[in-house]
Amino acid sequence: MTQDTYEVHDPATLEVVGRAPVHGDQDVREAIAAAQGAARAWAADREARRSALRECAALIRENETELGHLMSREQGKVLAEAVAEFRVGAGLMDYFADLAWDEVEKLPDRADRALEVHYRPVGVVGAIVPWNFPISLLCVKLAPALTAGCTVIAKPSPSTPLSTIALIDLMNRALPAGVLQYRTGPGREVNVALSTLPGVRKISFTGSTEVGTSIAAQAAATVKRVTLELGGNDPALVLDDADIETTAHGIAGSAFRNAGQVCMAVKQVFVPRNRQSELVEALSEAVSHHVLGHGVESGTTMGPLHNEAQRDLVQGLVDQAVAAGARIAAGGGRGCGLPGHFMEPTVVTDARIGMDLVDREQFGNALPVVAYDSLEDTIDGLNAHGFGLGASVWSADLERAHAAAVNIEAGTVWINQHTQVEPDAPFGGWKSSGLGRERGRWGLEEYLELRTVNTRPHTPKT
């Protein structure tokens, strides 16, 4: 395996956190061979798999503080959120280990035939994950894939490989050799190899729509199964009867979690025109208490954006919106004296559809607020756009909120909350926000192939 390495930097201090291997095509080929060699024995013993997953969960919990500290330094999020991400991963391991499912399903007998449907592991899986939630997004792939009997090669983001390496090294204390491996690198070579080499039978990818569609196109040549959890531009629809303080607190908690770098966070707010000013005031109050700083330092409630390009993109979108008539109601500055990629949580009012800050996924510390006159027209306009990951409706009238929710074209619609996901409920996007589902039995099914066995007696002719 290659010995070349590259530096990984702390986005708050710009210091070097560590070094990760530079893997290439040949390294991926070797990983595929090892995964294929381990596959038969791993797929053959379901109880051994369940026991190993539970052991993995226990190991993660025992080491969560050390693991979280490493992730906080390489990703930027506050330590408590980083530790919580490993706890989520451990919970997913336990959930899928305990999930009841049939490896063989019997269909009703025919006059002279018996039919069975077999659920078998799809094969070697390439799991490609982004930098915003490098562990929870990986574990939501690892847990069902390993439960199904697949072997996995994980590819973390180039900028957050160290916590993934630490996690997989830890899990491999409980897993047989070759079942779970990682390949890292600063470029596209590992992604391309996983997407194109025929030994990989499935790709599970979380990331941008642009990269996801490229990976899907590469995977098509070898007819790989593909699950894509892609970008989102989640709206929060505030109805005219909503309690403003409760609504602002909930929206701000979602929109600015992880400095706004959450695929399913609120990224645009629509509010009745006559309630815009009071909501903007409440949102501004909700974000004013954040303390920006190094994620591992006590008292920090918000870290930096993950990289310079992302901060510059979000700041540029805010500047464009202001130049076009919008107004910064809160934030707008750096908010921290450290040299990293900081941006204060920023509330932008008087935003309009047609501004890039509203129409595209900004993925950062800025939240546009748009006034509307017609709820129905607003929903129709949102449905006409390409994104469909999530949305939320905020109202004191649950019946009215539900009536609005069922007309929104998105994979998840929350009522009086946003960003909450459950281990047993399917998660994924409509339209350009994704393909396939993660979590629950639906997530497990993404890693299973079906085989029908149709049996007829061998009866000699008389």
Side-chain angles (χ1 to χ4, degrees):
M1 189 180 296
T2 179
Q3 298 300 305
D4 292 340
T5 61
Y6 69 99
E7 293 181 345
V8 179
H9 295 89
D10 185 326
T13 65
L14 308 186
E15 297 171 338
V16 175
V17 180
R19 304 185 71 90
V22 178
H23 292 136
D25 181 271
Q26 183 57 36
D27 299 302
V28 176
R29 292 176 186 272
E30 292 173 5
I32 292 171
Q36 290 172 329
R40 184 181 295 274
W42 179 245
D45 193 337
R46 180 175 175 179
E47 288 306 312
R49 298 199 302 272
R50 296 173 69 179
S51 177
L53 282 173
R54 294 189 186 103
E55 186 177 350
C56 287
L59 286 167
I60 293 169
R61 292 188 179 101
E62 289 169 8
N63 294 274
E64 63 182 27
T65 301
E66 178 184 352
L67 292 167
H69 193 277
L70 177 60
M71 191 219 287
S72 177
R73 292 192 63 213
E74 72 170 348
Q75 200 281 333
K77 65 181 62 181
V78 298
L79 179 59
E81 293 179 7
V83 171
E85 200 168 325
F86 284 96
R87 290 176 182 166
V88 167
L92 288 164
M93 299 295 167
D94 279 336
Y95 170 79
F96 280 100
D98 294 339
L99 183 65
W101 59 284
D102 294 324
E103 291 182 290
V104 178
E105 177 184 357
K106 293 184 181 296
L107 300 183
D109 287 344
R110 314 298 128 102
D112 61 345
R113 298 184 307 284
L115 280 86
E116 294 178 344
V117 178
H118 294 190
Y119 295 87
R120 302 300 302 157
V122 68
V124 179
V125 173
I128 304 173
V129 295
W131 46 257
N132 59 327
F133 285 86
I135 296 304
S136 60
L137 291 176
L138 176 60
C139 288
V140 83
K141 304 175 191 307
L142 294 185
L146 296 173
T147 296
C150 299
T151 54
V152 183
I153 304 167
K155 167 57 171 66
S157 166
S159 57
T160 54
L162 302 179
S163 51
T164 295
I165 293 171
L167 173 71
I168 290 176
D169 285 347
L170 186 68
M171 291 178 64
N172 277 333
R173 297 184 194 174
L175 299 172
V179 168
L180 175 58
Q181 303 167 81
Y182 62 82
R183 291 294 182 266
T184 61
R188 298 176 59 248
E189 190 171 358
V190 172
N191 282 12
V192 171
L194 290 172
S195 301
T196 57
L197 291 173
V200 176
R201 296 310 313 144
K202 176 180 174 62
I203 294 290
S204 183
F205 170 82
T206 299
S208 71
T209 299
E210 293 75 16
V211 176
T213 53
S214 175
I215 284 174
Q218 294 165 6
T222 49
V223 200
K224 288 177 173 55
R225 294 269 295 277
V226 177
T227 299
L228 304 173
E229 199 260 279
L230 305 178
N233 198 16
D234 287 17
L237 297 176
V238 181
L239 305 194
D240 53 15
D241 65 345
D243 179 85
I244 289 298
E245 184 177 352
T246 298
T247 299
H249 180 78
I251 289 175
S254 169
F256 296 105
R257 180 185 177 196
N258 195 27
Q261 300 164 125
V262 184
C263 60
M264 55 182 169
V266 174
K267 295 190 176 69
Q268 47 185 331
V269 181
F270 293 84
V271 60
R273 193 171 301 279
N274 64 352
R275 305 207 70 186
Q276 179 184 17
S277 60
E278 58 180 318
L279 178 64
V280 169
E281 182 179 352
L283 286 169
S284 299
E285 167 63 20
V287 304
S288 66
H289 304 289
H290 274 295
V291 177
L292 276 67
H294 201 192
V296 297
E297 294 296 330
S298 176
T300 297
T301 65
M302 181 176 290
L305 272 73
H306 183 62
N307 56 61
E308 182 178 17
Q310 193 65 31
R311 184 199 61 196
D312 291 349
L313 169 65
V314 179
Q315 186 64 61
L317 292 173
V318 171
D319 293 344
Q320 291 172 18
V322 170
R327 179 172 57 87
I328 294 176
R334 293 191 77 253
C336 183
L338 292 174
H341 316 304
F342 288 93
M343 178 180 181
E344 290 179 312
T346 301
V347 178
V348 179
T349 189
D350 299 329
R352 302 186 307 276
I353 292 174
M355 292 179 174
D356 281 349
L357 182 64
V358 176
D359 292 351
R360 64 182 291 182
E361 182 185 23
Q362 68 270 25
F363 212 70
N365 248 352
L367 180 65
V369 180
V370 180
Y372 72 81
D373 298 304
S374 166
L375 177 63
E376 292 74 17
D377 289 347
T378 299
I379 292 174
D380 288 344
L382 291 170
N383 287 344
H385 281 265
F387 289 117
L389 188 59
S392 57
V393 180
W394 302 77
S395 172
D397 186 336
L398 295 184
E399 184 175 349
R400 187 171 169 227
H402 191 272
V406 297
N407 287 310
I408 297 173
E409 296 177 355
T412 300
V413 182
W414 292 273
I415 294 176
N416 295 325
Q417 57 182 329
H418 203 114
T419 315
Q420 180 67 41
V421 292
E422 314 291 347
D424 58 342
F427 181 80
W430 288 21
K431 300 177 287 187
S432 60
S433 286
L435 179 68
R437 289 296 182 268
E438 295 184 320
R439 300 179 178 269
R441 62 177 177 83
W442 301 271
L444 179 68
E445 289 169 0
E446 296 284 331
Y447 298 93
L448 295 170
E449 286 281 18
L450 304 183
R451 175 175 61 216
T452 299
V453 178
N454 193 329
T455 303
R456 184 177 186 178
H458 185 65
T459 306
K461 287 188 176 182
T462 58

